[in-house]
């Protein structure tokens, strides 16, 4: 995406996003992994060879294994912001999308976290050809922004309303392939900002929502605990259908779109509470 030259519009966007930016800045996204921990002296589970001699008079001759979440020193976590920019988004939804995207961009500036942010819809791919399109708000190898703070200028350049038609599963799959390449086995934090009017991407029997669900299920199987997925449903009260495949769905009702500070607080509170739970359990790997 081109960078906006309207610096006053960029500053207004930063000001509106400041409540959630400050909330998110209190915590950084950690890089996590799971290590097996052996629990001995159990009365059930797998037999513990080291205690079999005590079996005649002691019931605690079993052991269990649990996975413990710890800090992973390998690689750097990647924060992915996937923005639905299709024509079904009206002015209020697009405005909220800009505010939230700006907040996430600003909150990780100066940290060790890698960022990937893209707007997906449809448009001119090249002369004479239109189709599904991902335009990068920030990509470490593909955008002209000098840094994360400069990427806010790309957000400010977004239109007032959505344009084109999105291919959700196709675009999200492409964005995630780029994210996994950057993460190199590290944590990927996926945030989807969408009105959840899912469109079909492929000539198959599934509808748009089913395609997105199938994609998320595949990502879960391939990445296991290395993926955290959050959906912010813009202008929606009912988001049934994807909750089991996502870590969290935050529904922003049409009336909430007029109160950016309230939505910012809800998003910020969720991210803060989740990361606080992680930190209580983390120990160096």
């Amino acid at each position: 995406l081109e960078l906006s030259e309207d610096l006053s519009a960029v500053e207004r966007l930063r000001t509106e996003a400041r409540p959630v930016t400050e909330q998110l800045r209190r915590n950084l996204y950690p890089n996590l992994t799971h290590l097996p921990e052996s629990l001995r002296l159990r009365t059930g589970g797998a037999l513990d060879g080291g205690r079999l001699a005590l079996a005649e008079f002691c019931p605690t001759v079993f052991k269990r294994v649990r996975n413990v979440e710890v800090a992973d020193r390998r690689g750097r976590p990647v924060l992915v912001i996937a923005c639905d920019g299709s024509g079904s988004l009206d002015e209020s939804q697009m405005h909220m999308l800009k505010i939230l995207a700006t907040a996430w961009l600003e909150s990780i500036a100066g940290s060790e976290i890698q960022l990937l942010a893209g707007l997906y819809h449809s448009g001119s791919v090249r002369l004479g050809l239109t189709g599904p399109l991902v335009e990068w708000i920030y990509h470490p190898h593909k955008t002209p922004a000098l840094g994360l703070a400069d990427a806010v200028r790309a957000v400010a350049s977004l239109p007032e309303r959505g344009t084109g038609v999105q291919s959700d599963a196709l675009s999200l799959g492409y964005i995630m392939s780029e994210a996994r390449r950057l993460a190199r086995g590290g944590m990927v934090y996926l945030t989807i900002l969408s009105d959840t009017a899912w469109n079909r991407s492929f000539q198959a029997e599934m509808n748009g929502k089913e395609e997105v669900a199938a994609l998320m299920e595949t990502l879960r199987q391939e990445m296991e605990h290395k993926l955290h997925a959050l959906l912010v449903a813009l202008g929606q009260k009912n988001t049934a259908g994807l909750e089991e495949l996502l870590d969290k769905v935050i529904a922003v009702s049409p009336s909430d779109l007029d109160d950016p500070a309230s939505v910012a607080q809800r998003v910020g509170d969720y991210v803060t509470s989740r990361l606080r739970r992680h930190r209580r359990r983390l120990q160096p790997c």
Side-chain angles (χ1 to χ4, degrees):
L1 285 168
E2 295 182 2
L3 304 183
S4 173
E5 298 296 336
D6 187 349
L7 298 185
S8 62
V10 173
E11 193 55 39
R12 284 196 303 272
L13 198 53
R14 285 192 169 114
T15 300
E16 287 188 87
R18 191 159 292 136
V20 71
T21 301
E22 294 303 321
Q23 190 82 347
L24 294 174
R25 271 181 179 158
R26 297 174 189 171
N27 289 287
L28 297 179
Y29 292 86
N31 205 26
L32 306 173
T33 191
H34 285 76
L35 292 180
E37 179 183 65
S38 181
L39 305 175
R40 305 187 69 187
L41 302 176
R42 296 293 182 260
T43 56
L47 284 171
D48 187 345
R51 294 182 59 80
L52 283 180
L54 308 176
E56 290 189 10
F57 54 88
C58 181
T60 57
V61 292
F62 299 91
K63 63 181 178 180
R64 296 180 184 274
V65 176
R66 69 175 180 181
N67 286 324
V68 181
E69 200 169 60
V70 299
D72 191 348
R73 304 306 184 195
R74 300 165 297 178
R76 295 163 57 197
V78 176
L79 171 62
V80 182
I81 306 173
C83 301
D84 176 0
S86 66
S88 58
L89 276 79
D90 61 23
E91 291 185 14
S92 60
Q93 290 170 316
M94 200 67 178
H95 184 60
M96 180 61 71
L97 182 147
K98 290 182 183 182
I99 290 174
L100 294 176
T102 298
W104 262 293
L105 288 170
E106 294 269 88
S107 67
I108 66 169
S111 73
E112 292 298 314
I113 300 166
Q114 301 181 87
L115 174 73
L116 201 62
L119 179 80
Y120 68 92
H121 54 152
S122 64
S124 177
V125 179
R126 62 175 182 269
L127 184 62
L129 178 64
T130 61
L133 184 66
V134 173
E135 295 183 284
W136 295 113
I137 296 169
Y138 183 84
H139 189 300
H141 306 143
K142 299 181 181 181
T143 51
L146 298 178
L148 299 185
D150 200 25
V152 178
R153 292 174 57 197
V155 178
S157 73
L158 298 181
E160 297 301 313
R161 303 176 63 94
T163 58
V165 179
Q166 83 274 33
S167 299
D168 296 281
L170 178 64
S171 299
L172 291 172
Y174 170 66
I175 291 171
M176 282 300 298
S177 68
E178 291 286 300
R180 294 173 71 178
R181 190 176 297 114
L182 284 176
R184 298 182 180 180
M187 282 290 299
V188 175
Y189 291 89
L190 170 63
T191 297
I192 304 172
L193 306 178
S194 173
D195 65 349
T196 69
W198 311 113
N199 279 353
R200 289 174 59 187
S201 301
F202 312 106
Q203 298 301 320
E205 304 247 338
M206 293 186 289
N207 59 35
K209 180 188 284 187
E210 290 169 341
E211 287 182 348
V212 173
L215 171 66
M216 294 308 303
E217 188 171 4
T218 299
L219 290 172
R220 287 287 183 201
Q221 293 173 353
E222 294 177 352
M223 300 179 67
E224 297 180 338
H225 56 271
K226 290 294 186 179
L227 172 66
H228 175 273
L230 165 67
L231 167 64
V232 180
L234 301 170
Q236 301 297 321
K237 293 181 179 179
N238 183 11
T239 58
L242 294 175
E243 287 86 347
E244 294 182 0
L245 298 171
L246 300 165
D247 292 273
K248 180 69 175 179
V249 176
I250 297 178
V252 181
S253 68
S255 59
D256 289 338
L257 291 172
D258 297 326
D259 189 2
S262 174
V263 176
Q265 188 69 31
R266 287 171 56 198
V267 173
D269 286 348
Y270 165 70
V271 174
T272 300
S273 64
R274 179 174 177 83
L275 297 182
R276 188 178 295 121
R277 287 199 301 273
H278 280 319
R279 284 196 166 81
R280 282 201 298 263
R281 292 151 57 188
L282 290 185
Q283 48 185 314
C285 174

